[in-house]
Amino acid sequence: MSGPARRLLIGNWKMNLTVSDAQAYARTLLPRLKVAGDREIALAPPFTALGAIAPLLKGGPILLAAQNLFWEDEGPYTGEISGPMLQEVGVTYVLVAHSERRRHLEETDRAASRKVAAALRCGLQPVLCVGEDEMERESGRAATVVQTQLARGLEGVAPGAAPRLQIAYEPVWAIGTGKAATPAQAAEMHALIRAELARLLGEAGPGVRILYGGSVTPANVDELMRTPGVDGALVGGASLKADEFARIASYR
Ligand code: PGA
């Protein structure tokens, strides 16, 4: 069984950058970016900027990602955005259950599994985010927490979906803190996730890409991307400046 194909790096802008900021960013980034054939690069702007930058990115090397979606396709769900809406504006990837949504919006594993299913149903590629917080790591529960998030978040996912599925391992203590996981810590957790994927999806498990996220910067991206088991990166703060993200996207 062969492993995942190309590496995937996604810039997650979170709740930053207006439409005009986003357009300026795309115009700065595009001429600086040479995307090697062994990787895919995507940007996840806020919903408001998706439609605005889609025409700028069209036909180029940067794919569009969304930061969230709702599990129904349409209906009385005020404030929500559905898979078909994202599809229509050209989105390829969609983040599911980022730790900030789990924490501030009380998003559950059950919601995560419904969103993963909705994304797959709509022809989008979900990126299910998992990761332990500092207390969970310190009390030796990191592995159990991540295994539980995976098993619950992937409930009902058929092995045939594996090539369209991504997991992002984002330890909460590493997000926005400048304290990235060490390569050894990332390697250990990615191996554990790989084993859990084999348990859940059988022979299809190795087809799922596992991204690392949490304080990825131009200074540590090369080493993290050389770490065994790391198939890509989810980049927050360092993706907000086009030149920094260009350097990250051209990791060596
Ligand atoms: P960070 O965020 O790179 O700013 O740590 C990563 C993320 O939350 O996706």
Side-chain angles (χ1 to χ4, degrees), residues 64 66 68-69 82-88 90-94 115-127 164-166:
L64 260 189
N68 179 37
L69 84 168
S82 75
M85 294 171 182
L86 297 175
Q87 250 263 339
E88 193 192 32
V91 167
T92 300
Y93 294 101
V94 58
K115 291 180 177 196
V116 167
L120 291 168
R121 184 178 75 234
C122 298
L124 298 166
Q125 299 205 38
V127 182
R164 294 197 291 127
L165 180 67
Q166 284 67 221

Side-chain angles (χ1 to χ4, degrees), residues 7-246:
R7 305 294 190 82
L8 172 63
L9 284 90
I10 304 178
N12 171 18
W13 293 356
K14 311 191 178 187
M15 198 177 71
N16 294 292
L17 307 193
T18 63
V19 168
S20 50
D21 295 336
Q23 288 166 329
Y25 180 111
R27 290 196 180 100
T28 310
L29 179 64
L30 282 166
R32 286 168 197 229
L33 200 65
K34 280 205 185 66
V35 178
D38 62 349
R39 62 196 70 178
E40 289 181 301
I41 306 297
L43 282 174
F47 287 136
T48 46
L50 281 172
I53 64 166
L56 299 175
L57 303 186
K58 203 171 171 166
I62 306 175
L63 299 167
L64 260 189
Q67 298 177 17
N68 179 37
L69 84 168
F70 192 61
W71 56 76
E72 298 291 345
D73 288 356
E74 61 180 6
Y77 307 103
T78 302
E80 296 297 325
I81 300 283
S82 75
M85 294 171 182
L86 297 175
Q87 250 263 339
E88 193 192 32
V89 294
V91 167
T92 300
Y93 294 101
V94 58
L95 309 184
V96 171
H98 187 281
S99 65
E100 285 151 14
R101 297 194 61 81
R102 292 181 188 261
R103 176 159 162 239
H104 300 295
L105 294 143
E106 297 176 25
E107 206 157 287
T108 61
D109 289 322
R110 172 81 186 119
S113 77
R114 297 175 88 172
K115 291 180 177 196
V116 167
L120 291 168
R121 184 178 75 234
C122 298
L124 298 166
Q125 299 205 38
V127 182
L128 173 66
C129 302
V130 299
E132 81 286 359
D133 66 23
E134 190 159 24
M135 260 178 51
E136 290 162 342
R137 176 159 282 260
E138 277 169 9
S139 60
R141 287 184 294 133
T144 316
V145 166
V146 168
Q147 280 164 334
T148 304
Q149 288 173 339
L150 279 173
R152 293 191 179 152
L154 297 180
E155 211 177 293
V157 171
R164 294 197 291 127
L165 180 67
Q166 284 67 221
I167 304 299
Y169 170 57
E170 298 206 298
V172 176
W173 47 268
I175 296 178
T177 58
K179 206 175 79 181
T182 63
Q185 286 171 324
E188 185 185 14
M189 198 55 98
H190 281 232
L192 179 130
I193 292 170
R194 184 62 72 201
E196 187 65 15
L197 288 170
R199 197 182 70 75
L200 295 168
L201 300 171
E203 284 195 358
V208 178
R209 284 183 289 195
I210 308 174
L211 281 50
Y212 168 79
S215 295
V216 177
T217 65
N220 63 19
V221 68
D222 298 338
E223 190 180 25
L224 283 164
M225 291 302 295
R226 278 198 296 267
T227 300
V230 173
D231 306 316
L234 185 51
V235 186
S239 74
L240 288 174
K241 294 212 176 88
D243 53 350
E244 279 192 31
F245 189 60

